[in-house]
Amino acid sequence: MGEKAEINENVFISDHCVIGRESKLMSNIKLWPWKVVEDGSILSKSLVWEDKWLKELFTESRVSGISNIEMTPEFGAKLGAAFGAFLGQGKTVLVSRDVDNVSRMMNRALICGLISAGLDVDDLRIASIPMVRHELRSGRYAGGLHVRKSPVDKHQTDIIFFDSNGVDLPVSKAKAIERLFFGEDFPRVPYDKVGTINFPVRVAEGYVEKFLESLNIEIIRKQGFKIVVDYSNGVAVTI
């Protein structure tokens, strides 16, 4: 047990757990054996399958975790609600995912959290990250996110957050969402203010048109390039 660690009522801690210094364990949670709570972190859920609970949620603009162990529907809904609380009721968020089943699950969980906070969601479903960035530049959205299987670890899922202009979410905004998440300081709107889910059309066509407009076709044609394309059954097949 670390110094100045705070443990609230009805907290059950099993053998061989490590509670970091200045960490805070909220009420009515359980820690199974061999769990680690990092220094300064706030734990508001039971640790059953996860090995540890981190002090920081974001790595730059990305949240990553073990698929269906750390990245769960409950986690996604809570994170979506925190993101929605940060952006504000009545705003619209753009979301997308890759073809992975866990990505699909997490995308829907995030959407649930967002609309519970009173935001509308435009769901591109399967789409590439460049397509999402392009659509965000239209100015219609307060922010966006993309869910994917990690390209470096097949057991992990990434959630990438974007600012309203399509760039990666700044660290300052990510930290603000993180504080809302750990503090569980996000409201639920009345039933008649719950957001809507929409599915935009012709987004891929618009992206392709804009992409082709940026190319110098004549120069490319003169070079006589031969191009081999392998989509690898990924999101690029939508373009």
Side-chain angles (χ1 to χ4, degrees):
M1 182 77 67
E3 294 181 358
K4 298 182 180 179
E6 179 181 337
I7 301 177
N8 286 281
E9 60 184 6
N10 294 326
V11 174
F12 298 90
I13 303 175
S14 299
D15 295 335
H16 309 295
C17 290
V18 177
I19 311 300
R21 61 187 304 273
E22 297 185 358
S23 58
K24 183 176 182 180
L25 276 60
M26 306 301 285
S27 302
N28 304 312
I29 60 175
K30 299 177 182 179
L31 276 69
W32 284 31
W34 303 101
K35 305 304 179 185
V36 177
V37 180
E38 287 195 343
D39 294 347
S41 58
I42 300 174
L43 179 62
S44 59
K45 62 184 286 291
S46 295
L47 282 184
V48 179
W49 299 106
E50 306 97 317
D51 291 328
K52 65 169 61 177
W53 187 252
L54 303 178
K55 177 183 178 181
E56 296 182 339
L57 193 64
F58 280 83
T59 301
E60 297 179 339
S61 63
R62 187 183 72 251
V63 176
S64 301
I66 302 172
S67 301
N68 212 29
I69 293 179
E70 295 171 336
M71 284 288 178
T72 62
E74 297 85 358
F75 175 84
K78 182 178 175 182
L79 182 57
F83 188 33
F86 170 76
L87 295 175
Q89 182 181 341
K91 303 291 180 59
T92 303
V93 178
L94 186 69
V95 305
S96 66
R97 61 177 175 87
D98 66 9
V99 298
D100 186 66
N101 283 338
V102 176
S103 299
R104 183 181 188 184
M105 175 186 75
M106 292 304 300
N107 184 61
R108 293 187 175 187
L110 287 156
I111 289 173
C112 288
L114 284 163
I115 64 174
S116 75
L119 286 81
D120 296 327
V121 173
D122 278 7
D123 185 8
L124 297 181
R125 290 170 284 190
I126 297 174
S128 65
I129 291 176
M131 191 185 302
V132 177
R133 293 188 190 276
H134 172 263
E135 189 67 9
L136 283 168
R137 294 191 183 104
S138 67
R140 296 192 298 269
Y141 302 101
L145 59 86
H146 178 81
V147 188
R148 70 179 184 185
K149 177 188 284 188
S150 170
V152 296
D153 185 347
K154 67 179 182 180
H155 300 103
Q156 287 207 332
T157 297
D158 298 332
I159 305 171
I160 305 170
F161 289 79
F162 305 104
D163 211 347
S164 58
N165 58 1
V167 301
D168 289 351
L169 194 71
V171 173
S172 59
K173 293 185 177 182
K175 292 301 180 184
I177 297 168
E178 200 170 81
R179 287 192 293 271
L180 290 169
F181 178 89
F182 286 125
E184 299 190 357
D185 188 17
F186 38 85
R188 303 292 188 188
V189 298
Y191 76 94
D192 57 342
K193 300 296 183 182
V194 170
T196 61
I197 305 172
N198 303 293
F199 302 96
V201 297
R202 295 191 57 79
V203 174
E205 290 85 348
Y207 172 75
V208 170
E209 290 173 6
K210 194 68 175 179
F211 178 78
L212 293 176
E213 287 175 4
S214 66
L215 299 178
N216 190 323
I217 303 298
E218 290 304 317
I219 291 179
I220 295 174
R221 184 178 289 119
K222 288 178 181 178
Q223 296 300 317
F225 292 122
K226 291 183 179 180
I227 300 175
V228 177
V229 179
D230 181 4
Y231 293 112
S232 299
N233 198 34
V235 295
V237 300
T238 61
I239 300 175

